[in-house]
Amino acid sequence: MGLSAGFVWPELSISRVDLNDNVVHYALVERIVQTLERGGNPLDTWSPEWTLGFPLLRLYQPLAHLLTAAVYFLLGKSVSLMTIFVWIRFLAVVLLPLSFYAGARLLELRRSVALAAAVMSPLISSAGLFGLEYGSYVWAGNGLFPQSVAAHCFLLSLGFGFRSLRRGTGGAQAGAWLGLTCLAHLIFGYMAAKRAV
């Protein structure tokens, strides 16, 4: 993770001016914060920057955006919303090997195999297919912020789902992780649910 953090470290400074989907994601976080400050429903906000205006959060997976807003309020608004947004994106990428390790251990793989999965996870690559590779999440990539958060939930939901099916216990915990995965990224949630069946 330290090596990954070294490679991704520039994200903390350059990604404050985005050129990808993070422009929309940050605007959604801003809308949530503004709506909460006015006492409104954070999932029923108007996004004027989306075409001619659209209530995007009614149809979009909101977990990553709500998490960012929650951290902002938990810190008493003492840290700028942009800084929190950038740090959550950074941590979502850098901590991904940890979730690979935890997911592999939940799948009851040996410690050495789980460690190998964690070490190799930064090397995942696809030809622009919006997968788990860094190009999906970083500034020069696609800016798939909800997916970067969902990747952690996805890996843990697979592990807890396997454990629940194997041992016959912990179904509520597996269901909770699956629900969080769906709230973070619907397609990852669907893939995790398909694996559980």
Side-chain angles (χ1 to χ4, degrees):
M1 286 189 313
L3 190 59
S4 292
F7 284 121
V8 184
W9 189 257
E11 290 290 311
L12 293 175
S13 59
I14 64 171
S15 65
R16 293 175 186 274
V17 179
D18 278 313
L19 49 78
N20 53 35
D21 284 0
N22 283 318
V23 173
V24 172
H25 297 304
Y26 182 71
L28 290 174
V29 173
E30 280 184 320
R31 294 283 174 265
I32 289 171
V33 167
Q34 291 166 357
T35 304
L36 285 171
E37 289 175 335
R38 289 187 216 120
N41 179 353
L43 299 178
D44 191 24
T45 64
W46 188 255
S47 300
E49 64 281 332
W50 190 264
T51 11
L52 296 174
F54 185 74
L56 185 59
L57 281 169
R58 286 186 187 175
L59 304 172
Y60 201 72
Q61 51 264 355
L63 183 65
H65 307 92
L66 292 171
L67 172 68
T68 306
V71 171
Y72 176 70
F73 286 114
L74 286 172
L75 293 175
K77 303 182 197 176
S78 62
V79 179
S80 77
L81 187 58
M82 176 58 83
T83 300
I84 292 169
F85 180 68
V86 168
W87 269 97
I88 289 176
R89 286 177 22 212
F90 174 78
L91 291 173
V93 172
V94 170
L95 297 177
L96 194 56
L98 186 62
S99 291
F100 267 95
Y101 179 82
R105 292 299 290 156
L106 288 166
L107 290 170
E108 298 179 1
L109 298 174
R110 291 188 322 266
R111 186 169 282 136
S112 60
V113 175
L115 185 59
V119 168
M120 300 300 282
S121 66
L123 301 177
I124 293 173
S125 180
S126 69
L129 299 176
F130 308 110
L132 291 173
E133 72 271 4
Y134 284 177
S136 293
Y137 310 130
V138 296
W139 178 80
N142 299 314
L144 304 178
F145 174 58
Q147 183 176 314
S148 68
V149 173
H152 297 274
C153 298
F154 174 70
L155 293 166
L156 294 173
S157 69
L158 290 178
F160 281 111
F162 173 84
R163 181 174 274 190
S164 173
L165 292 172
R166 173 64 67 94
R167 297 182 181 177
T169 60
Q173 194 174 21
W177 279 107
L178 180 58
L180 288 172
T181 305
C182 288
L183 283 173
H185 195 271
L186 193 57
I187 294 172
F188 275 25
Y190 173 76
M191 290 187 313
K194 269 310 251 188
R195 291 294 103 211
V197 176

